[in-house]
Amino acid sequence: MKMAFYGSSLLSSYWNGAATYYRGMLSELAKRGWDVTFYEPNAFDRQNHRDIEPPDWARVVVYDATPDACRTVIARAAEADVVVKANGVGVFDDELLNGVMDAADPRALRLYWDVDAPATLAELRQTPDHPLHRRLPQLDAVLTYGGGPPVVTAYQAMGARVCRPIYNALDPATHYPVPPQPRFAADLGFLANRLPDREARVEHFFLEPAVHNPDGRYIIGGSGWETKGLPTNVTHVGHVGTADHNAFNASALAVLNVARNSMAEVGFSPATRVFEAAGAAACLITDAWEGVELFLAPDEEILVARDGQDVTDHLRALTPARARAIGEAARRRVLAEHTYARRGVEVDALLRDALAARRERSAA
């Protein structure tokens, strides 16, 4: 079975938080017999910041960010049994959406895979002529990496036949416990790019606690923070490639997750970082969002903070022994319930059942 997947980047996580999710999901589908080709544009300097080289479980086609190159890769959709357009490719998104769905074989499945459903739905509400409005009733399914019931209801109300959340997860071969490294040592670590719809929450949950605890050590990784005025006890280490995520997560007493505004409002949207941290057996403090208990148990496998004061209180009460116990409990939970292997089984069954049903209808 051939899959053509049009996304932002498989090879680079540079300004591309979906990379880990794509790698985890598509590598598992490849193990189940899917012949995956991933199409990504040469854009945003990502090819100069690759985290991995092309893997043996997928063909990666890097195309120039030009109209001609876009048309060339669009035509390749006709070769696939399943055609996937992800949101947030970053260049020619509308052209790709319309082009690959029109180019797909009539017998192929057409999917929209949304890795930022709250933002996409907000854009759809504000943009009546968005091309996805017209395409939704024609698609076989919308898959999302989070959002739960609110996102499913919203997409179906807009015309989607099927909407299925396929949540983030852990790839235990990529994220696992490692010895701590002094360069990442801190009381609290935070890893995320600087984005407008998260910055105020980062100030509230990370920077304000640092100001109120001047003797504490805080470390922040990710792009964009170099121009942000940071408290003197906060160290910025720049972009942290995925190869260093385990060490980052293992080296602080606790690590912090801060959801973007839209994700926090919708809930049911655990970030990739949640499972990366749990995989490394890190003690994770997360801002509060609806549905967190479906993934990790508060106070046992994760610490939940309603505001910056809660973050400070958690850190003051946290001993190395308790942090270690919470991190190890989180790792056991995600290994048992939240791996990409389990997600891969779910998506593989969904796709094969849909293809079988289509063949039956065609043969009738």
Side-chain angles (χ1 to χ4, degrees), residues 17-21 145 168-169 175 257 269-277 340:
T20 299
Y21 180 74
Y145 94 165
N168 280 314
H175 294 101
N257 173 68
S269 299
T272 304
R273 303 284 184 247
V274 169
F275 298 106
E276 289 184 0
Y340 281 115

Side-chain angles (χ1 to χ4, degrees), residues 9-283:
S9 180
L10 190 70
L11 302 179
S12 176
S13 65
Y14 185 68
W15 288 102
N16 178 39
T20 299
Y21 180 74
Y22 290 152
R23 293 167 190 172
M25 285 304 318
L26 297 180
S27 63
E28 288 299 331
L29 290 176
K31 291 176 185 176
R32 287 160 179 78
W34 290 91
D35 182 357
V36 179
T37 301
F38 192 99
Y39 297 93
E40 62 178 76
N42 186 356
F44 308 110
D45 207 28
R46 288 183 181 135
Q47 299 307 314
N48 291 326
H49 293 84
R50 288 187 178 186
D51 297 289
I52 63 171
E53 292 304 313
D56 57 9
W57 41 263
R59 281 184 297 277
V60 181
V61 177
V62 179
Y63 58 95
D64 291 335
T66 65
D68 285 345
C70 183
R71 283 190 288 269
T72 297
V73 297
I74 283 173
R76 299 283 297 277
E79 304 167 6
D81 300 290
V82 175
V83 175
V84 180
K85 166 63 175 71
N87 74 303
V89 173
V91 291
F92 301 115
D93 268 286
D94 292 351
E95 291 83 354
L96 284 168
L97 174 65
N98 289 322
V100 300
M101 297 310 165
D102 287 339
D105 188 290
R107 297 164 295 183
L109 292 181
R110 296 165 172 81
L111 306 180
Y112 187 76
W113 205 320
D114 195 345
V115 297
D116 193 0
T120 302
L121 289 167
E123 183 179 358
L124 288 172
R125 294 185 186 104
Q126 296 165 7
T127 315
D129 59 347
H130 194 292
L132 189 55
H133 282 294
R134 181 171 63 87
R135 289 290 173 178
L136 279 175
Q138 303 168 7
L139 300 176
D140 293 283
V142 173
L143 305 184
T144 73
Y145 94 165
V151 164
V152 171
T153 299
Y155 258 121
Q156 290 178 337
M158 291 184 180
R161 301 179 193 174
V162 175
C163 179
R164 176 86 65 87
I166 306 295
Y167 292 106
N168 280 314
L170 170 69
D171 177 358
T174 303
H175 294 101
Y176 45 81
V178 300
Q181 293 187 11
R183 63 182 172 133
F184 294 138
D187 296 303
L188 185 65
F190 176 64
L191 182 60
N193 291 329
R194 184 182 179 186
L195 296 172
D197 70 341
R198 178 165 47 202
E199 187 163 352
R201 294 176 66 82
V202 174
E203 292 173 353
H204 191 48
F205 284 92
F206 183 75
L207 298 181
E208 289 177 12
V211 169
H212 294 146
N213 182 25
D215 294 330
R217 296 178 300 165
Y218 296 76
I219 186 169
I220 186 168
S223 300
W225 301 109
E226 58 274 6
T227 59
K228 175 79 171 177
L230 299 174
T232 56
N233 59 338
V234 175
T235 300
H236 177 230
V237 293
H239 173 69
V240 180
T242 52
D244 287 324
H245 284 189
N246 291 327
F248 187 96
N249 288 323
S251 300
L253 178 66
V255 292
L256 179 69
N257 173 68
V258 178
R260 297 196 344 260
N261 295 346
S262 57
M263 293 290 190
E265 290 168 2
V266 171
F268 303 94
S269 299
T272 304
R273 303 284 184 247
V274 169
F275 298 106
E276 289 184 0
C283 177

